[in-house]
Structure formats: C-alpha cells, structure tokens
Amino acid sequence: MTTKRPFDGFDFEGFWNDCPYSLENYVEPPPSDELIASIEQEMGGYRLPAAYVDLARRHNGGLVKRNCHPMTERTGWAEDHVAITGLYAIGRTSKYSLAGQLGAKFMIEEWDYPPIGVGIADTPTAGHELIMLDYRACGKRGEPQVVYVDQEDDYSITVVASDFETFIRGLVEESEYDTAEEDRAAAIAAVERGTLSPIVVRALAAVGNCLLDGERILRALARQIVDEKGFFALHDDERSHLMYGLMFWLYSSLRTARSFEAFVIRPKTGTSYDDSPCFELMIIFDLVADPYEFNTRGYAEGFVRDWWDACVAGGDIAEMAEGYRLTPKAEATLLGRLATIAGP
C-alpha cells in the first residue's frame, strides 16, 4: 500500500519565485534528519509539521509567486486576505530561515512576537506582521494551526488555516485580488488629504521658513509617487530617495540621529509619538491608539539603508560629534529639489 505524501497532486508550477534575491537570502538545500532535529530543538522543542518538512525537501524556503491567502477577517494588509513575502527555510544559513539572522527565532527574540510556536513566513510589512505555527491548542508535538500575528495591533492573533498543508494549498496569486483602481484612489486620498503623523506635523512646524509650504510639497511628492506606481510605497528610485531625504531632514529638526537605526526603527519602549520620533512612525506605521492616514503601511529596510549608506559614502550625510546630519551643501541641494516639486 502506497502512503500518501503531503502535497501529492499539488501543482507547484508557478509557485516559487526563484529570483537571485530569493536564492541568496531565503533558499537552503533540502534539510537532513539531523538538521531538522537540531532546528526543532533550537526553536524550543516544537515538532515541525510533516507537510513543512516535505515541502522543505522539495524546495527549502523561498519567495513565492502565490503570495496571498484569503481571510474571513480583516487584517492589517487587506479586508479579505493576507499577503506573504516568502517562506522560511528549515535551516540557519540563509538570512530568512528558521534559525537565520532575520528568521523565526530572531522575530520572537528581537521583535517580541508571542512565544506560541514557530514563525514560518514574513510579509511585505518588513517585520510588523508574521505568519506563525500556533501550538497552543495541540502542544509542542501536535499539528499546529497557521495564524497571522499583527504587531501593530498589540500582537493580535488570527487563524489563517487549520494546518500547514492547507495554508500552502490556499495560497493564490495577487492577481486574484486585483483592486488596482480602488487602491490607487485610496492612495491618492491618503496622500492628498490624509492626516499626517504627529511627528511630521511637529517637524514641519520646526523647520518653519526653511521650507515654505512644506506640507504641500510633501503631499505633492507623495502624489507623484502614487502616479508613478499606482500606490504609495517607497523603493529604490529617485522619488523614494527624495522622500527618504525629506524625512531625514525633518527628523533632524527634532533630534540628531545617533545611528541609522535611531533614525529609522521604532524603539521597542516607545509608547507615543513624542517618545519615539523615527522614520517608521513618520511615514510607515502608526500607533494603534493614535492612527494617522498618510502612510505606506510597509517598507523594505534594505532600500532605506542603501540610500543612507550611499549618502554617507558620498558625503551628503556626515557624522559629527552629536550624530549624523545632512551637510549644508546636501541640505541646500535637497531644499532646491523640493522647491520644484509643488510647482509655482
């Protein structure tokens, strides 16, 4: 009698996105029994589902083209689905693997995700949402549910699928949720009329006459980004770089950055916008208790870091005794470019 294997009959054609970035940062070779046992021990003794192990032996981690899973409850991503970026490999050598530099273990230890099991997939929100195996009901040796955990909603937990195989079989391409026109209209409304982060409001007031009509310029730049992409998102492009520069300049009107991380990443202990001025709370995420509308709801930290490193290497951002700031020449160039954004 032939034993049925997980994913028998499942069509993997068009499932994985084996681009160079995925192969370098997500994918690992198929795991051995010894590696699986050591990873399970490192994850806290949780037995990985047989379907997860089977999938890893077919293709161990990676970005996926079928990156959306339907939901019956609203998530921080959408009303009717949740999106993922990639699946964590069973291993520890790739950056986004279970025990890798930025994988499941890192998310619990450094991002304070609840110790309910094992993280298995990241999302486009760059760490502020996580897909996890939830072992609370079944115990460490049982068959866990797959859940969505939203850091920005006080780590709320929502069931996605009854088990791992069901989760994988339920993934569909983003085109199934083609709301491009609605998304574009919502993005235009947000950048043209949405409320600004309290940090940005304070910073615009602080720069005063240095940037006349600063709010109009900020909104005009954001509208250009939406017109170019169809949605409000920051990547590795000219207008995104200009927005990074504007945010850093505004941030510098309130305090001096001691490091890249101090400028960009929200402190874990911060409970208000006054406590935690940073790039993330200026234009990316809001506080659940005090939301604002002019935001991207996600970003790739690597794009911002590449911009920062290029500015430091090129002498536009200089390290001084008190921290990092734009040089006077770079500031003048930035303001000159911004002055042309909104037109006469």
Side-chain angles (χ1 to χ4, degrees):
M1 180 177 178
T2 303
T3 303
K4 185 177 184 297
R5 183 182 178 187
F7 300 110
D8 278 352
F10 182 70
D11 183 8
F12 281 100
E13 182 70 27
F15 183 83
W16 297 104
N17 177 12
D18 286 329
C19 64
Y21 181 84
S22 179
L23 296 175
E24 180 180 350
N25 293 282
Y26 281 84
V27 179
E28 293 196 23
S32 64
D33 290 342
E34 292 75 18
L35 177 61
I36 293 168
S38 70
I39 293 295
E40 289 179 334
Q41 183 65 28
E42 192 168 346
M43 292 295 103
Y46 293 103
R47 182 188 65 82
L48 296 175
Y52 193 2
V53 172
D54 180 87
L55 184 64
R57 286 178 168 154
R58 298 171 187 259
H59 193 296
N60 195 13
L63 300 180
V64 293
K65 293 180 179 178
R66 299 181 205 167
N67 65 333
C68 292
H69 197 287
M71 298 286 289
T72 57
E73 299 180 48
R74 181 179 180 85
T75 69
W77 185 255
E79 291 186 359
D80 57 359
H81 70 280
V82 64
I84 70 170
T85 300
L87 293 166
Y88 294 151
I90 299 176
R92 56 175 59 89
T93 57
S94 67
K95 184 181 293 186
Y96 295 99
S97 59
L98 290 183
Q101 180 185 356
L102 299 177
K105 185 179 180 184
F106 169 83
M107 297 305 290
I108 289 179
E109 293 179 350
E110 300 297 327
W111 282 69
D112 297 328
Y113 276 88
I116 61 173
V118 180
I120 57 169
D122 54 4
T123 80
T125 63
H128 291 262
E129 299 170 345
L130 187 64
I131 304 298
M132 298 187 69
L133 298 174
D134 181 1
Y135 289 80
R136 289 176 299 172
C138 65
K140 289 189 174 183
R141 309 301 294 175
E143 186 70 30
Q145 292 182 315
V146 177
V147 298
Y148 158 84
V149 185
D150 187 353
Q151 186 203 46
E152 295 300 312
D153 189 25
D154 198 25
Y155 297 98
S156 63
I157 300 172
T158 306
V159 175
V160 180
S162 58
D163 56 73
F164 181 80
E165 183 175 359
T166 301
F167 170 69
I168 295 299
R169 288 181 177 272
L171 290 170
V172 297
E173 293 186 7
E174 193 171 12
S175 59
E176 296 284 334
Y177 299 97
D178 185 6
T179 57
E181 287 305 313
E182 295 90 336
D183 293 345
R184 183 176 183 277
I188 290 173
V191 300
E192 290 190 340
R193 301 183 296 278
T195 53
L196 298 174
S197 164
I199 301 169
V200 172
V201 172
R202 282 195 290 130
L204 287 171
V207 298
N209 292 334
C210 294
L211 185 64
L212 295 175
D213 213 1
E215 181 176 339
R216 186 166 75 98
I217 291 173
L218 170 62
R219 292 185 184 278
L221 175 57
R223 175 60 193 267
Q224 289 180 5
I225 291 172
V226 172
D227 287 344
E228 183 177 83
K229 301 178 180 180
F231 48 88
F232 189 28
L234 303 176
H235 301 123
D236 182 21
D237 56 83
E238 183 178 357
R239 288 190 176 91
S240 294
H241 291 178
L242 191 55
M243 185 66 81
Y244 299 149
L246 174 56
M247 289 297 110
F248 180 59
W249 182 71
L250 290 174
Y251 170 93
S252 300
S253 72
L254 303 177
R255 61 174 59 182
T256 301
R258 290 287 184 180
S259 64
F260 169 82
E261 289 76 14
F263 161 53
V264 172
I265 300 171
R266 169 187 169 187
K268 295 178 183 178
T269 56
T271 57
S272 74
Y273 295 106
D274 290 336
D275 294 336
S276 313
C278 62
F279 175 77
E280 286 190 344
L281 290 181
M282 293 174 77
I283 196 171
I284 308 299
F285 304 113
D286 54 24
L287 298 174
V288 173
D290 189 11
Y292 65 91
E293 297 160 345
F294 185 99
N295 63 65
T296 64
R297 278 298 296 163
Y299 78 116
E301 182 185 317
F303 289 143
V304 192
R305 188 178 291 276
D306 288 346
W307 165 83
W308 173 279
D309 289 344
C311 288
V312 171
D316 291 333
I317 294 178
E319 184 176 11
M320 304 175 185
E322 67 276 17
Y324 291 88
R325 300 188 73 89
L326 287 171
T327 64
K329 180 180 178 181
E331 180 178 333
T333 299
L334 173 69
L335 296 181
R337 293 179 64 196
L338 290 171
T340 67
I341 289 294

